[in-house]
């Protein structure tokens, strides 16, 4: 802290610009998410007799509050703690993802076994898997940056663990989250300096595996066909994509007005989750969608600047990976709603309703804000100018924060000046 020379009151140093941008953009997205979740869900729940229409809003606020608590704790010093428990998080995520597939433990919804819990208190283990695998990859690469220079060293154990996690998530089935994990790890490898020829080999193999996996099940093959020509399958597999495009087209430039969407009531499935962007486009128009994309752009800008300014390899890679994870998920959702990518069932970060996704992403944002504020500062030896009180007479090194070294340098200069003055008067005690 610095001291006000006039009032003599200690003042906190100003937050870095990146930290303020990340926090502001996140809070703006959360505010927009609360409004749009209520708008997208209230009318249909009222018509279906499921309460007063505030059910999803209340749950969004509750889980958003839990996520903000995690954000606050991790942003104030959770980087070292998370680094220590990363192996435990990886093991726990694998166990929970496997458990979600077991009868009597997992909850099956719309043909997918992705959740654990009962009633409205449910947890999606694949969201924890998404974050834990990224933390695992960052830890391995930061410990040995040369690992990315060879496919052999990269495969054991990084690609084996990440590939196994993606496979378990994909067979739930949750191909969207598996793609987010894969794209995030790919972006991390680029940030770590992996040669592009190796990245091309991994990317080509990944595309082949995704196509084979998509064509292995009729409904996934139907989604791929509907993506190529959704209007030809408007009454079947292309229904959701077509309704989303109609909603965005109906909004025009400024939208039909908040709460006035027609598509969300009668036509658009999953309006408050995967396709909330379509409701935003209908009610707030292209302008509302543009503001939303601008906020994501701010997160990308501030996150990458934080990665560039970070003081350690671990912090640099983690900031790049977390930013990539958020942006990959946002890009997949936006592209799917706009008809530029097949439907993957990925929620829009911080905006869509989704308890597990919201809590995990806010925790990830807490880590990113921590790094943007100078988290995990490197320590270095700063030799002390004072002699030790012991009889050896040797200078004793001290561990000091590299960022605090400048603050101590001035005080040491004053100490040296005082000692010289004392020596001149014959009163010095050191020698």
């Amino acid at each position: 802290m610095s001291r006000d020379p006039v009032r003599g009151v200690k003042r906190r140093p100003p937050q870095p610009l990146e930290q303020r941008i990340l926090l502001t953009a996140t809070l703006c997205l959360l505010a927009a998410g609360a409004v749009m979740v209520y708008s997208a869900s209230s009318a249909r729940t009222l018509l279906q007799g499921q309460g007063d229409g505030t059910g999803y809003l209340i749950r969004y606020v509750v889980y958003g509050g839990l996520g903000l608590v995690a954000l606050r704790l991790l942003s104030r010093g959770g980087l070292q703690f998370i680094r220590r428990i990363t192996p435990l998080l990886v093991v726990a995520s694998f166990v929970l993802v496997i458990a979600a597939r077991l009868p009597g433990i997992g909850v099956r919804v719309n043909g997918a076994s992705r959740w654990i819990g009962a009633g409205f208190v449910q947890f999606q283990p694949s969201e924890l898997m998404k974050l834990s695998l990224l933390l695992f990859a960052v830890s391995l690469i930061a410990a040995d940056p040369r690992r990315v220079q060879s496919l052999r060293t990269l495969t054991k154990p990084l690609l084996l663990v990440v590939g196994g996690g993606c496979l378990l998530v994909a067979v739930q089935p949750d191909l969207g989250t598996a793609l987010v994990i894969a794209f995030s790890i790919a972006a991390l490898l680029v940030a770590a300096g992996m040669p592009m020829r190796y990245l091309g080999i991994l990317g080509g193999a990944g595309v082949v595996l995704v196509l084979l996996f998509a064509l292995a099940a009729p409904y996934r093959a139907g989604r791929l066909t509907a993506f190529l020509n959704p209007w030809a399958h408007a009454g079947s597999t292309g229904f959701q994509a077509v309704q989303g495009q109609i909603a965005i087209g109906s909004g025009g430039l400024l939208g039909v007005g908040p709460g006035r969407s027609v598509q969300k009531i009668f036509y658009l499935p999953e309006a408050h989750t995967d396709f909330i962007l379509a409701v935003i486009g209908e009610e707030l128009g292209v302008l509302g969608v543009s503001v939303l994309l601008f906020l994501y752009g701010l997160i990308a800008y501030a996150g990458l600047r934080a990665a560039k300014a970070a003081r350690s390899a671990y912090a640099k890679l983690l900031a790049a990976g977390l930013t990539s994870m958020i942006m990959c998920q946002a890009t997949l959702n936006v592209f799917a709603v706009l008809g530029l990518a097949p439907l993957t069932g990925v929620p829009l970060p911080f905006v869509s309703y989704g308890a597990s996704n919201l809590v995990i992403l806010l925790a990830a944002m807490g880590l990113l804000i921590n790094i943007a504020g100078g988290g995990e500062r490197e320590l270095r030896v700063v030799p002390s100018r004072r002699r030790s009180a012991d009889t050896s007479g040797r200078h004793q090194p001290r561990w000091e924060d590299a960022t605090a070294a400048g603050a101590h340098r001035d005080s040491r200069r004053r100490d040296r000046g005082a000692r010289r003055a004392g020596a001149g008067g014959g009163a010095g005690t050191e020698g």
Side-chain angles (χ1 to χ4, degrees), residues 186-429:
L188 176 64
L189 293 177
V190 172
M194 183 179 186
M196 295 306 295
R197 63 181 183 276
Y198 295 150
L199 191 64
I201 294 173
L202 293 177
V207 170
V208 172
L209 290 175
V210 169
L211 287 176
L212 292 176
F213 185 80
L215 297 176
Y219 81 94
R220 289 195 292 264
R223 281 189 174 186
L224 185 60
T225 304
F227 160 67
L228 298 175
N229 190 3
W231 292 90
H233 306 84
S236 56
T237 54
F239 178 79
Q240 191 172 15
V242 167
Q243 298 305 317
Q245 293 178 26
I246 292 175
I248 293 177
S250 301
L253 180 61
L254 301 177
V256 299
R260 296 184 177 181
S261 169
V262 176
Q263 295 296 114
K264 68 183 182 184
I265 303 176
F266 302 108
Y267 304 102
L268 189 61
E270 308 297 337
H272 60 295
T273 55
D274 304 346
F275 266 70
I276 199 169
L277 183 68
V279 180
I280 295 174
E282 185 177 3
E283 295 187 351
L284 304 180
V286 174
L287 181 61
V289 174
S290 299
V291 171
L292 196 71
L293 297 180
F294 174 72
L295 292 174
Y296 286 121
L298 287 179
I299 291 177
Y301 168 78
L304 294 179
R305 278 182 59 92
K308 182 179 179 180
R311 295 176 174 85
S312 68
Y314 178 81
K316 286 178 179 291
L317 291 174
L318 184 58
L322 292 173
T323 304
S324 300
M325 183 180 72
I326 295 171
M327 298 312 300
C328 286
Q329 182 170 326
T331 302
L332 277 176
N333 180 276
V334 172
F335 276 30
V337 174
L338 296 179
L340 302 177
L343 302 182
T344 55
V346 174
L348 191 62
F350 308 115
V351 179
S352 294
Y353 173 79
S356 304
N357 179 71
L358 186 59
V359 173
I360 292 297
L361 285 185
L362 285 174
M365 181 56 69
L367 294 174
L368 188 55
I369 290 174
N370 188 340
I371 298 171
E376 195 178 73
R377 299 177 177 91
E378 288 185 326
L379 298 178
R380 62 179 177 138
V381 175
V382 180
S384 175
R385 298 295 184 182
R386 297 183 179 181
R387 295 182 183 274
S388 175
D390 62 12
T391 56
S392 64
R394 297 179 181 177
H395 292 281
Q396 300 297 319
R398 294 179 299 165
W399 283 103
E400 290 187 354
D401 193 327
T403 60
H408 293 305
R409 193 176 298 117
D410 294 336
S411 63
R412 290 198 296 269
R413 289 172 180 170
R414 291 194 295 269
D415 293 341
R416 291 199 301 271
R419 288 197 297 271
R420 286 196 297 270
T429 59

Side-chain angles (χ1 to χ4, degrees), residues 22 47 50 72 75 95 107 151 211 231 254 313 355 379 381:
L22 289 171
L47 292 175
Q50 300 177 1
R72 177 66 174 172
S75 66
V95 171
V107 178
L151 285 179
L211 287 176
W231 292 90
L254 301 177
L379 298 178
V381 175

